[in-house]
Amino acid sequence: MTETTNDKQCNTINAAKPIHLDWQNIHTVFLDMDGTLLDLHFDNYFWLEYMPVQYAHKHHISIEQAKKRLTELYHEMEGTLDWYCLDHWQQKLDMDIVALKHQVADKIAIRANVQRFLDAVNSKNNRVILLTNAHRKTVELKFSYTRIENSFDRIITSHDLGLAKEQAGFWDRLQTVEPYEPEHTLFIDDNMEVLAEAERHGIAHLLTIQQPDSQQPPNNTRHYTAIECFSQLLI
């Protein structure tokens, strides 16, 4: 994978101060994918830059018109399960989203030190679960380029449960298919609304990502402890 701007910073700043976690009291680790383990730049570029060009070409309109139309459609679905559903967008836009994503897959990138972190977490005998809003087809596409699937005991997408992670009831529904103890659970995600829902449900250990998209400014991470580089967790 190509080294991202985030990777270069991560490897030169001596990776900020360590983030200490009480690993003896953590039994389950839930990890988000896009913006957390993987650089969000691919997704932002695809939906905000590449898709408008393809949509404009298909409908014989200007790129500016395409961006306006797509932005309206995106906002209508934001925060819902359909927002993350490739089948929804393929039908809505009448475009082969998966094929288009493969065309720019060179932008898919694992964040620096993520594989080292995954190896370390697995060595602690925790149950490690990928917990993502991404559609199953997106997960499979990302795995085909990153090869990180073997680092997880289980892969769960919100589409399996019928609720997006930021929606009320998600954590209760998750409990029925993947039992966990909130007080012994670590969850890392770059979405503040998702973390807020996890916090309301009592998830004890919550971390977020300082800069989900390596090409964009850092997030407002509210009161959540933010990871600048996954080497901060390698202690």
mmCIF file with all atom_site columns, all heavy atoms in Angstrom, residues 158-169:
data_model
loop_
_atom_site.group_PDB
_atom_site.id
_atom_site.type_symbol
_atom_site.label_atom_id
_atom_site.label_alt_id
_atom_site.label_comp_id
_atom_site.label_asym_id
_atom_site.label_entity_id
_atom_site.label_seq_id
_atom_site.pdbx_PDB_ins_code
_atom_site.Cartn_x
_atom_site.Cartn_y
_atom_site.Cartn_z
_atom_site.occupancy
_atom_site.B_iso_or_equiv
_atom_site.pdbx_formal_charge
_atom_site.auth_seq_id
_atom_site.auth_comp_id
_atom_site.auth_asym_id
_atom_site.auth_atom_id
_atom_site.pdbx_PDB_model_num
ATOM 1  N N   . SER A 1 158 ? -23.192 -3.281 10.089 1.00 0.00 ? 158 SER A N   1
ATOM 2  C CA  . SER A 1 158 ? -24.489 -2.818 10.590 1.00 0.00 ? 158 SER A CA  1
ATOM 3  C C   . SER A 1 158 ? -25.630 -3.344 9.730  1.00 0.00 ? 158 SER A C   1
ATOM 4  O O   . SER A 1 158 ? -26.759 -3.484 10.198 1.00 0.00 ? 158 SER A O   1
ATOM 5  C CB  . SER A 1 158 ? -24.524 -1.290 10.645 1.00 0.00 ? 158 SER A CB  1
ATOM 6  O OG  . SER A 1 158 ? -24.223 -0.726 9.379  1.00 0.00 ? 158 SER A OG  1
ATOM 7  N N   . HIS A 1 159 ? -25.337 -3.703 8.483  1.00 0.00 ? 159 HIS A N   1
ATOM 8  C CA  . HIS A 1 159 ? -26.363 -4.249 7.592  1.00 0.00 ? 159 HIS A CA  1
ATOM 9  C C   . HIS A 1 159 ? -26.806 -5.637 8.060  1.00 0.00 ? 159 HIS A C   1
ATOM 10 O O   . HIS A 1 159 ? -27.938 -6.048 7.797  1.00 0.00 ? 159 HIS A O   1
ATOM 11 C CB  . HIS A 1 159 ? -25.836 -4.294 6.158  1.00 0.00 ? 159 HIS A CB  1
ATOM 12 C CG  . HIS A 1 159 ? -25.405 -2.951 5.662  1.00 0.00 ? 159 HIS A CG  1
ATOM 13 N ND1 . HIS A 1 159 ? -26.250 -2.093 5.004  1.00 0.00 ? 159 HIS A ND1 1
ATOM 14 C CD2 . HIS A 1 159 ? -24.219 -2.296 5.778  1.00 0.00 ? 159 HIS A CD2 1
ATOM 15 C CE1 . HIS A 1 159 ? -25.601 -0.978 4.720  1.00 0.00 ? 159 HIS A CE1 1
ATOM 16 N NE2 . HIS A 1 159 ? -24.371 -1.081 5.183  1.00 0.00 ? 159 HIS A NE2 1
ATOM 17 N N   . ASP A 1 160 ? -25.933 -6.329 8.768  1.00 0.00 ? 160 ASP A N   1
ATOM 18 C CA  . ASP A 1 160 ? -26.309 -7.625 9.331  1.00 0.00 ? 160 ASP A CA  1
ATOM 19 C C   . ASP A 1 160 ? -27.375 -7.455 10.413 1.00 0.00 ? 160 ASP A C   1
ATOM 20 O O   . ASP A 1 160 ? -28.188 -8.355 10.644 1.00 0.00 ? 160 ASP A O   1
ATOM 21 C CB  . ASP A 1 160 ? -25.095 -8.321 9.957  1.00 0.00 ? 160 ASP A CB  1
ATOM 22 C CG  . ASP A 1 160 ? -23.982 -8.591 8.963  1.00 0.00 ? 160 ASP A CG  1
ATOM 23 O OD1 . ASP A 1 160 ? -24.281 -8.754 7.761  1.00 0.00 ? 160 ASP A OD1 1
ATOM 24 O OD2 . ASP A 1 160 ? -22.817 -8.643 9.384  1.00 0.00 ? 160 ASP A OD2 1
ATOM 25 N N   . LEU A 1 161 ? -27.366 -6.296 11.081 1.00 0.00 ? 161 LEU A N   1
ATOM 26 C CA  . LEU A 1 161 ? -28.251 -6.049 12.207 1.00 0.00 ? 161 LEU A CA  1
ATOM 27 C C   . LEU A 1 161 ? -29.451 -5.184 11.861 1.00 0.00 ? 161 LEU A C   1
ATOM 28 O O   . LEU A 1 161 ? -30.398 -5.089 12.649 1.00 0.00 ? 161 LEU A O   1
ATOM 29 C CB  . LEU A 1 161 ? -27.465 -5.382 13.348 1.00 0.00 ? 161 LEU A CB  1
ATOM 30 C CG  . LEU A 1 161 ? -26.231 -6.147 13.841 1.00 0.00 ? 161 LEU A CG  1
ATOM 31 C CD1 . LEU A 1 161 ? -25.533 -5.376 14.953 1.00 0.00 ? 161 LEU A CD1 1
ATOM 32 C CD2 . LEU A 1 161 ? -26.623 -7.531 14.332 1.00 0.00 ? 161 LEU A CD2 1
ATOM 33 N N   . GLY A 1 162 ? -29.410 -4.526 10.701 1.00 0.00 ? 162 GLY A N   1
ATOM 34 C CA  . GLY A 1 162 ? -30.547 -3.704 10.289 1.00 0.00 ? 162 GLY A CA  1
ATOM 35 C C   . GLY A 1 162 ? -30.585 -2.325 10.919 1.00 0.00 ? 162 GLY A C   1
ATOM 36 O O   . GLY A 1 162 ? -31.587 -1.605 10.799 1.00 0.00 ? 162 GLY A O   1
ATOM 37 N N   . LEU A 1 163 ? -29.497 -1.920 11.585 1.00 0.00 ? 163 LEU A N   1
ATOM 38 C CA  . LEU A 1 163 ? -29.396 -0.589 12.176 1.00 0.00 ? 163 LEU A CA  1
ATOM 39 C C   . LEU A 1 163 ? -27.976 -0.067 11.988 1.00 0.00 ? 163 LEU A C   1
ATOM 40 O O   . LEU A 1 163 ? -27.007 -0.822 12.118 1.00 0.00 ? 163 LEU A O   1
ATOM 41 C CB  . LEU A 1 163 ? -29.709 -0.619 13.677 1.00 0.00 ? 163 LEU A CB  1
ATOM 42 C CG  . LEU A 1 163 ? -31.160 -0.793 14.122 1.00 0.00 ? 163 LEU A CG  1
ATOM 43 C CD1 . LEU A 1 163 ? -31.204 -0.986 15.632 1.00 0.00 ? 163 LEU A CD1 1
ATOM 44 C CD2 . LEU A 1 163 ? -32.006 0.409  13.714 1.00 0.00 ? 163 LEU A CD2 1
ATOM 45 N N   . ALA A 1 164 ? -27.850 1.227  11.700 1.00 0.00 ? 164 ALA A N   1
ATOM 46 C CA  . ALA A 1 164 ? -26.532 1.844  11.662 1.00 0.00 ? 164 ALA A CA  1
ATOM 47 C C   . ALA A 1 164 ? -26.020 2.011  13.088 1.00 0.00 ? 164 ALA A C   1
ATOM 48 O O   . ALA A 1 164 ? -26.797 2.075  14.041 1.00 0.00 ? 164 ALA A O   1
ATOM 49 C CB  . ALA A 1 164 ? -26.604 3.205  10.973 1.00 0.00 ? 164 ALA A CB  1
ATOM 50 N N   . LYS A 1 165 ? -24.717 2.081  13.255 1.00 0.00 ? 165 LYS A N   1
ATOM 51 C CA  . LYS A 1 165 ? -24.127 2.128  14.593 1.00 0.00 ? 165 LYS A CA  1
ATOM 52 C C   . LYS A 1 165 ? -24.577 3.349  15.389 1.00 0.00 ? 165 LYS A C   1
ATOM 53 O O   . LYS A 1 165 ? -24.597 3.304  16.620 1.00 0.00 ? 165 LYS A O   1
ATOM 54 C CB  . LYS A 1 165 ? -22.596 2.107  14.497 1.00 0.00 ? 165 LYS A CB  1
ATOM 55 C CG  . LYS A 1 165 ? -22.039 0.772  14.071 1.00 0.00 ? 165 LYS A CG  1
ATOM 56 C CD  . LYS A 1 165 ? -20.523 0.740  14.161 1.00 0.00 ? 165 LYS A CD  1
ATOM 57 C CE  . LYS A 1 165 ? -19.877 1.612  13.109 1.00 0.00 ? 165 LYS A CE  1
ATOM 58 N NZ  . LYS A 1 165 ? -18.396 1.502  13.121 1.00 0.00 ? 165 LYS A NZ  1
ATOM 59 N N   . GLU A 1 166 ? -24.919 4.441  14.721 1.00 0.00 ? 166 GLU A N   1
ATOM 60 C CA  . GLU A 1 166 ? -25.338 5.647  15.419 1.00 0.00 ? 166 GLU A CA  1
ATOM 61 C C   . GLU A 1 166 ? -26.816 5.658  15.789 1.00 0.00 ? 166 GLU A C   1
ATOM 62 O O   . GLU A 1 166 ? -27.294 6.587  16.447 1.00 0.00 ? 166 GLU A O   1
ATOM 63 C CB  . GLU A 1 166 ? -24.996 6.901  14.600 1.00 0.00 ? 166 GLU A CB  1
ATOM 64 C CG  . GLU A 1 166 ? -25.547 6.928  13.192 1.00 0.00 ? 166 GLU A CG  1
ATOM 65 C CD  . GLU A 1 166 ? -24.573 6.402  12.155 1.00 0.00 ? 166 GLU A CD  1
ATOM 66 O OE1 . GLU A 1 166 ? -24.064 5.283  12.342 1.00 0.00 ? 166 GLU A OE1 1
ATOM 67 O OE2 . GLU A 1 166 ? -24.329 7.113  11.163 1.00 0.00 ? 166 GLU A OE2 1
ATOM 68 N N   . GLN A 1 167 ? -27.548 4.628  15.378 1.00 0.00 ? 167 GLN A N   1
ATOM 69 C CA  . GLN A 1 167 ? -28.981 4.579  15.645 1.00 0.00 ? 167 GLN A CA  1
ATOM 70 C C   . GLN A 1 167 ? -29.274 3.910  16.988 1.00 0.00 ? 167 GLN A C   1
ATOM 71 O O   . GLN A 1 167 ? -28.612 2.958  17.398 1.00 0.00 ? 167 GLN A O   1
ATOM 72 C CB  . GLN A 1 167 ? -29.701 3.830  14.515 1.00 0.00 ? 167 GLN A CB  1
ATOM 73 C CG  . GLN A 1 167 ? -29.697 4.588  13.186 1.00 0.00 ? 167 GLN A CG  1
ATOM 74 C CD  . GLN A 1 167 ? -30.430 3.844  12.090 1.00 0.00 ? 167 GLN A CD  1
ATOM 75 O OE1 . GLN A 1 167 ? -30.070 2.726  11.735 1.00 0.00 ? 167 GLN A OE1 1
ATOM 76 N NE2 . GLN A 1 167 ? -31.464 4.465  11.544 1.00 0.00 ? 167 GLN A NE2 1
ATOM 77 N N   . ALA A 1 168 ? -30.299 4.432  17.681 1.00 0.00 ? 168 ALA A N   1
ATOM 78 C CA  . ALA A 1 168 ? -30.711 3.866  18.962 1.00 0.00 ? 168 ALA A CA  1
ATOM 79 C C   . ALA A 1 168 ? -31.099 2.403  18.790 1.00 0.00 ? 168 ALA A C   1
ATOM 80 O O   . ALA A 1 168 ? -31.760 2.041  17.813 1.00 0.00 ? 168 ALA A O   1
ATOM 81 C CB  . ALA A 1 168 ? -31.882 4.665  19.525 1.00 0.00 ? 168 ALA A CB  1
ATOM 82 N N   . GLY A 1 169 ? -30.682 1.583  19.692 1.00 0.00 ? 169 GLY A N   1
ATOM 83 C CA  . GLY A 1 169 ? -31.009 0.161  19.643 1.00 0.00 ? 169 GLY A CA  1
ATOM 84 C C   . GLY A 1 169 ? -29.923 -0.699 19.032 1.00 0.00 ? 169 GLY A C   1
ATOM 85 O O   . GLY A 1 169 ? -29.993 -1.931 19.118 1.00 0.00 ? 169 GLY A O   1
#
